[in-house]
Amino acid sequence: MRETYSSLFRNIPGLHGEVLSETVFGNQVMMRERVTGFDDGYILDAACVYVIKEDKIAEVYFF
């Protein structure tokens, strides 16, 4: 996962992620996020669920 995100931010230097809301359910974190900075001005609004195992993100689901 780190490699994917690192590559994304390296290839699109103006990319910016903003957490709009966050809710924790045990080892799962649900976030509403907004990503801006795409070359064409596109704004991505997404809901994500991160599953935490051993203090690291083990899985992520985007909606």
Side-chain angles (χ1 to χ4, degrees):
M1 182 177 300
R2 181 183 307 237
E3 183 177 312
T4 299
Y5 278 104
S6 294
S7 174
L8 184 63
F9 281 90
R10 186 173 44 254
N11 290 326
I12 308 172
L15 206 59
H16 174 77
E18 175 185 5
V19 176
L20 302 175
S21 66
E22 176 182 5
T23 306
V24 178
F25 299 101
N27 74 325
Q28 298 180 18
V29 180
M30 185 176 89
M31 290 186 170
R32 202 167 143 250
E33 302 176 354
R34 177 168 292 142
V35 182
T36 59
F38 293 99
D39 292 338
D40 62 0
Y42 181 73
I43 296 173
L44 173 67
D45 282 318
C48 314
V49 174
Y50 296 93
V51 179
I52 310 300
K53 294 181 182 172
E54 299 179 9
D55 295 323
K56 294 184 180 179
I57 299 171
E59 302 170 45
V60 63
Y61 301 94
F62 296 97
F63 303 95

